Amino acid sequence: MSAPPPAPSLRSSVARLWPLLRPHRRRLGAGAACVVVYVACWPLLALLAGQLIPAIGAGDLGASLRVILLALLVFLTQKLAQFGQDTLLADPALRVSQGLRQQLFGRLQRLDFAALDTLSAGDLTYRLTEDADRVGEVIYKTIHDTLPSALQLLAVLATMLWLDWPLALATLLLAPLVALLVAGFGARVMTAAERSQRQVSDLAGLLAEAITGLPLVRAYAAEPWLQQRFDAEVELHRQARTRTLRLLALQHPVVGFLEAVGILAVLLIGAWRIQAGQLDSQGLSSYMAALLMLIDPISHLTTNFNEFQQGQASLQRLRAIEREPVERPDRPAALPLPALRGAVQLEGIRFGYAADQPVLHNLDLAVEPGQVVALVGPSGAGKSTLFSLLLRFNQPQAGRVLLDGHDLADLRARELRQAVALVPQQSQVFSGSIAEGIRFGRPASIEQVREAARLANADGFIEALPEGYGSRLEERGRNLSGGQLQRLAIARAVLGNPAVLLLDEATSALDAEAEEAVQRGLEQAMAGRTVLVIAHRLATVQRADRIVVLEAGRIAEQGSHNQLMALGGRYRDLCRRQFIDLTP
Ligand code: ADP
């Protein structure tokens, strides 16, 4: 297992969000203009308050009305600007989380299989859903709330300095104290939030494992054990969340109390400045109004700061996916594939997942076009690994894999995988229509889909379904039988008319009728193609042109069924022990 990739730095993480925002810079610009209007209204309102309160105090109704009407106008303008800002800025922010998700999903699809092995499905799901959402929310908050709040803070502070700078300076002495407390809390909230997010990830991982493993758990009556593990995980999660919430609970009263003390202190100093004749009541009214206008942005900034810290943790977890290695790209001068005959050749192949643990040793194998080769051998012998090399999921450390004489390393992966089709052991399907399931993203007419289904002997049951090829496949194909799913997987494989078919026979036994239907589909699908099959059925090996017995990554024996049986070696033993159905 490789060491985890280093955490990307925050600055590079944030900087790389910009390309996602850039296409929306017009909207962002218009939104920013609204922000400026919105912010500029605050000092105006403070000045109007300074005129209004003395006018009301003096009982001057006419002057009061004039100021109130003006204030109404300013309020209206400000709220319109706020509406503009909120609507214009929401969309780009949401698109960032969408873009981020798309980018990362694309990356996920190209991840190196070795890297994918080390990641948990639950954890990845969490990152691409919850974490991506959180990042989107933080961006939204940052541009539609944090930024205006910061500007408001600056504008109001400037107004206060202009109104009475000594009083403003005295006020500002309190600010660093608040800021210090806020920052201290922020850091602790961040650590706590990170911990609780890690817990959710672990929880998601355990859940994913538990859901797929539920039948197994039940079969072993291991429910209490799993429940215990789950309970322990949930408890850890609660503890982590409690720590975060406690910190947040403490933060609000402390900051709130400091604000109150600050306001009272300012009032006291203001009273003193008026007594000394250096300030009038209009100035103090404006000043107090401005001071009140500071409370909102400060509280927004503190809350958002916490969220920003949480979002930062999410962003880093998302970006960590980008550090995982992806599949090796095609060579720059990769060859387009000509029409293939389907000759497969392995020359001196050496391969291991870890450098010091070879799985295949100096393997040589030549398969003629149209030949059927059955691979047999004990589990762990390297049969699936061989398939992974033929699909270029892995690259040999020494030697070459050739297709019609072309080194696979020189071909384009996409074309190679159209020419070499895999029928996996587990007939996995995606939800969608049957036709879609057979097409599997490739452009093919419905006629071609039908033809593939016919070859796979799947046309009969598909046409008998109420909606034929338009019938829906449910998740994991639960509405089809095992044999039907296998035939669907065969149809999917032959759709692109591959020259080489890699079959990994299912180990679970079907009933005789289903078995026969699958066998017929396989036979039709195999005709005219080179086939390598990891065989688990006697019928398959008996029909193969050649049987290759793999043992610990080496070819132990090869020949026809009768030859190998007569030899009385490994193959004979294997036959006795391994094949599901011993009747041909
Ligand atoms: P077979 O298909 O014959 O059962 P495999 O090709 O699956 O054998 O496995 C051959 C060896 O490679 C085994 O020792 C197995 O543990 C190891 N192996 C298979 N897949 C991986 C993987 N993704 N990472 C590390 N080791 C693997």
Side-chain angles (χ1 to χ4, degrees):
M1 207 161 283
S2 59
S9 85
L10 176 67
R11 192 179 315 169
S12 74
S13 296
V14 173
R16 285 166 65 190
L17 289 177
W18 174 239
L20 294 170
L21 277 170
R22 199 163 41 206
H24 315 290
R25 50 186 185 277
R26 276 230 182 111
R27 254 169 178 273
L28 286 171
C34 289
V35 171
V36 170
V37 173
Y38 171 80
V39 168
C41 287
W42 287 116
L44 282 180
L45 287 169
L47 295 181
L48 288 175
Q51 293 179 9
L52 183 62
I53 291 166
I56 293 173
D60 184 347
L61 197 60
S64 300
L65 193 65
R66 240 189 348 269
V67 179
I68 284 175
L69 281 176
L70 259 175
L72 200 65
L73 203 66
V74 177
F75 268 123
L76 189 67
T77 313
Q78 189 186 38
K79 297 308 158 198
L80 280 175
Q82 192 176 23
F83 175 71
Q85 141 196 334
D86 287 359
T87 44
L88 284 166
L89 298 179
D91 193 53
L94 292 179
R95 281 178 197 275
V96 168
S97 74
Q98 180 191 21
L100 202 57
R101 244 180 220 147
Q102 286 168 331
Q103 218 177 50
L104 289 172
F105 188 70
R107 179 87 184 177
L108 205 61
Q109 295 221 65
R110 288 184 292 120
L111 273 196
D112 192 59
F113 281 115
L116 202 56
D117 272 350
T118 64
L119 297 166
S120 110
D123 179 41
L124 281 176
T125 308
Y126 180 82
R127 292 193 204 194
L128 264 82
T129 49
E130 300 291 323
D131 278 333
D133 257 349
R134 182 159 294 147
V135 170
E137 260 161 45
V138 167
I139 291 172
Y140 177 57
K141 271 262 166 79
T142 304
I143 57 186
H144 107 295
D145 192 36
T146 308
L147 225 60
S149 293
L151 288 177
Q152 180 178 342
L153 193 74
L154 290 178
V156 173
L157 277 177
T159 314
M160 287 162 69
L161 277 168
W162 176 72
L163 283 168
D164 188 49
W165 66 265
L167 186 54
L169 285 185
T171 312
L172 281 178
L173 278 181
L174 263 172
L177 205 64
V178 178
L180 221 63
L181 262 156
V182 169
F185 266 107
R188 299 188 67 171
V189 171
M190 160 105 173
T191 328
E194 244 175 13
R195 198 171 304 142
S196 86
Q197 246 150 279
R198 251 201 319 272
Q199 285 300 335
V200 179
S201 247
D202 289 350
L203 195 63
L206 179 62
L207 260 178
E209 211 175 31
I211 290 165
T212 44
L214 219 49
L216 187 71
V217 169
R218 215 167 284 176
Y220 278 79
E223 293 98 333
W225 166 80
L226 186 60
Q227 184 76 44
Q228 243 173 23
R229 274 186 65 172
F230 187 75
D231 291 350
E233 206 62 65
V234 172
E235 171 61 18
L236 285 176
H237 173 240
R238 186 196 57 80
Q239 286 173 1
R241 278 307 290 166
T242 308
R243 223 164 292 136
T244 316
L245 292 180
R246 256 194 217 139
L247 279 172
L248 284 172
L250 203 60
Q251 182 175 35
H252 290 192
V254 169
V255 173
F257 182 69
L258 269 168
E259 277 169 11
V261 170
I263 289 170
L264 293 173
V266 171
L267 276 175
L268 190 67
I269 303 171
W272 173 65
R273 301 258 316 148
I274 289 180
Q275 194 198 32
Q278 280 160 330
L279 188 66
D280 57 12
S281 66
Q282 181 172 345
L284 185 63
S285 301
S286 285
Y287 190 89
M288 290 316 294
L291 193 61
L292 293 177
M293 287 172 191
L294 280 186
I295 294 176
D296 257 1
I298 287 179
S299 97
H300 283 207
L301 286 175
T302 46
T303 329
N304 293 0
F305 185 67
N306 292 335
E307 278 181 33
F308 187 76
Q309 307 265 39
Q310 296 186 5
Q312 195 172 310
S314 287
L315 185 59
Q316 281 177 342
R317 283 157 44 80
L318 282 174
R319 288 301 192 199
I321 298 178
E322 293 194 335
R323 295 296 165 111
E324 298 287 347
V326 288
E327 193 178 27
R328 194 193 290 182
D330 294 333
R331 289 191 177 156
L335 299 171
L337 262 181
L340 287 175
R341 294 180 309 124
V344 173
Q345 213 172 341
L346 300 155
E347 287 182 354
I349 295 293
R350 189 156 48 79
F351 174 79
Y353 293 94
D356 52 345
Q357 288 169 349
V359 170
L360 300 175
H361 313 260
N362 279 324
L363 208 71
D364 289 302
L365 182 69
V367 185
E368 301 295 319
Q371 241 188 359
V372 176
V373 170
L375 298 171
V376 298
S379 144
K383 304 180 292 291
S384 314
T385 303
L386 194 65
F387 273 16
S388 81
L389 295 178
L390 287 169
L391 285 163
R392 219 177 82 188
F393 289 171
N394 288 305
Q395 324 259 348
Q397 276 130 12
R400 302 188 300 167
V401 186
L402 304 169
L403 186 57
D404 279 9
H406 305 291
D407 190 336
L408 292 198
D410 294 330
L411 302 176
R412 297 179 189 151
R414 205 164 226 286
E415 288 181 23
L416 161 68
R417 289 166 193 167
Q418 269 161 11
V420 179
L422 172 74
V423 180
Q425 193 169 63
Q426 246 115 41
S427 312
Q428 195 191 5
V429 291
F430 276 66
S431 53
S433 75
I434 297 237
E436 248 179 278
I438 295 176
R439 277 197 191 103
F440 212 43
R442 292 162 296 184
S445 68
I446 188 68
E447 291 317 315
Q448 288 167 312
V449 170
R450 280 176 203 278
E451 174 59 19
R454 195 189 57 70
L455 270 182
N457 192 27
D459 53 339
F461 86 81
I462 296 174
E463 278 153 23
L465 291 171
E467 290 173 67
Y469 286 84
S471 308
R472 267 196 76 74
L473 276 170
E474 280 171 26
E475 204 184 332
R476 283 181 282 142
R478 348 172 242 258
N479 53 340
L480 294 186
S481 73
Q484 290 172 334
L485 277 176
Q486 284 183 24
R487 284 181 276 158
L488 211 59
I490 299 167
R492 178 176 65 196
V494 295
L495 177 77
N497 193 20
V500 180
L501 206 54
L502 303 180
L503 293 175
D504 194 350
E505 268 190 332
T507 42
S508 55
L510 299 171
D511 63 56
E513 201 178 327
E515 180 65 49
E516 199 194 307
V518 172
Q519 282 303 330
R520 191 134 48 85
L522 273 177
E523 259 165 49
Q524 292 176 161
M526 284 156 68
R529 300 180 216 280
T530 308
V531 180
L532 280 97
V533 48
I534 298 179
H536 295 289
R537 293 194 164 80
L538 198 57
T540 312
V541 282
Q542 286 184 324
R543 242 169 261 147
D545 298 311
R546 183 158 36 125
I547 297 161
V548 171
V549 183
L550 263 189
E551 223 172 40
R554 291 193 169 84
I555 295 178
E557 292 172 1
Q558 52 181 316
S560 73
H561 176 69
N562 291 338
Q563 284 169 343
L564 293 179
M565 284 305 263
L567 199 65
R570 303 255 188 247
Y571 178 74
R572 200 190 164 98
D573 286 350
L574 263 175
C575 264
R576 290 234 172 85
R577 278 186 279 123
Q578 196 179 337
F579 293 125
I580 295 171
D581 74 277
L582 272 169
T583 48

